[in-house]
Amino acid sequence: ILNVEQSPQSLHVQEGDSTNFTCSFPSSNFYALHWYRWETAKSPEALFVMTLNGDEKKKGRISATLNTKEGYSYLYIKGSQPEDSATYLCASLTGTASKLTFGTGTRLQVTL
Amino acid sequence: KAGVTQTPRYLIKTRGQQVTLSCSPISGHRSVSWYQQTPGQGLQFLFEYFSETQRNKGNFPGRFSGRQFSNSRSEMNVSTLELGDSALYLCASSFDSLTDGYTFGSGTRLTVV
């Protein structure tokens, strides 16, 4: 993996569904992995910063895991709500701690 | 506390002109990064400044430049504007990118006509 890649590109779920997204990143010279939520007409908002292999972080119904050896992270949303509708971005600090490289994001739409 | 402030919010320029965008980071944040977002593209890294020094630069032509002042405020300049430079330009500041997420400004929407 040379770049940060996210899948799926978009996702449409019903309220109450649980969902997860994948982020793949270069695993060599890894420093940190960031997750952001970007709602329409707003600025990206930081969700998590993870650095250690096996790290797991949680904020309310949202949680994330990190595997630095194989270069992937998962973001989970439990019991999706319409207000969770946003684009979820992951970004890695790899090779340097001064260049945060973003994936193209997963666009989540939650309907009633 | 005050967030990251970017000015102006919107800008319309003509091809060939130059433009300067401004970013005031959160107080105490010494790292400022700039990103470009165009339709269909993710956030493309432009450059990062820390204590007035450019520590990293993205894959953009030399027409894109920036600087950071002693109060951590940053400016980015684009000379000889092209139609393809039309984009949302976002600035983000952080205290420590290894522990803290970036705080983004609202962005400057640049349209080149």
Side-chain angles (χ1 to χ4, degrees):
Chain A
I1 295 283
L2 296 178
N3 296 314
V4 179
E5 297 173 359
Q6 292 187 246
S7 63
Q9 210 170 11
S10 64
L11 201 50
H12 191 162
V13 302
Q14 300 288 318
E15 183 182 15
D17 288 349
S18 293
T19 186
N20 64 84
F21 325 131
T22 303
C23 170
S24 301
F25 55 88
S27 56
S28 59
N29 300 316
F30 171 82
Y31 283 84
L33 193 284
H34 291 211
W35 280 99
Y36 292 82
R37 174 169 56 202
W38 195 356
E39 296 178 67
T40 303
K42 293 187 178 180
S43 306
E45 174 193 358
L47 289 172
F48 305 113
V49 176
M50 297 186 289
T51 56
L52 300 175
N53 185 47
D55 221 357
E56 185 168 340
K57 296 217 171 176
K58 189 176 179 181
K59 183 185 286 189
R61 294 178 292 99
I62 305 177
S63 60
T65 60
L66 179 67
N67 183 320
T68 61
K69 295 186 189 306
E70 296 180 44
Y72 65 84
S73 175
Y74 295 132
L75 187 80
Y76 301 91
I77 301 179
K78 186 178 175 182
S80 302
Q81 300 295 309
E83 57 265 32
D84 295 329
S85 297
T87 296
Y88 291 83
L89 298 167
C90 73
S92 80
L93 285 167
T94 304
T96 169
S98 62
K99 179 182 177 182
L100 190 63
T101 301
F102 282 82
T104 51
T106 293
R107 185 179 173 87
L108 173 67
Q109 189 172 355
V110 183
T111 53
L112 296 170
Chain B
K1 59 181 177 182
V4 176
T5 303
Q6 287 189 249
T7 56
R9 287 294 305 275
Y10 302 93
L11 207 48
I12 299 175
K13 289 285 189 178
T14 305
R15 265 185 310 175
Q17 286 187 312
Q18 74 156 17
V19 68
T20 299
L21 311 182
S22 179
C23 172
S24 293
I26 287 178
S27 177
H29 286 190
R30 290 188 291 169
S31 170
V32 175
S33 297
W34 288 89
Y35 289 86
Q36 180 198 65
Q37 200 220 11
T38 51
Q41 297 284 322
L43 291 171
Q44 302 294 310
F45 175 80
L46 281 155
F47 21 67
E48 190 262 3
Y49 287 88
F50 184 89
S51 293
E52 301 179 68
T53 300
Q54 185 184 89
R55 296 196 298 185
N56 221 313
K57 189 178 193 310
N59 203 18
F60 279 81
R63 300 184 297 105
F64 290 80
S65 63
R67 58 179 175 169
Q68 187 180 34
F69 301 95
S70 58
N71 62 358
S72 291
R73 189 177 72 85
S74 178
E75 288 182 347
M76 95 164 237
N77 185 278
V78 188
S79 62
T80 320
L81 284 165
E82 300 177 0
L83 295 179
D85 297 333
S86 296
L88 177 67
Y89 291 88
L90 286 167
C91 162
S93 74
S94 73
F95 178 75
D96 181 345
S97 61
L98 297 182
T99 57
D100 305 315
Y102 284 18
T103 301
F104 282 83
S106 300
T108 294
R109 172 75 63 183
L110 172 65
T111 302
V112 183
V113 297

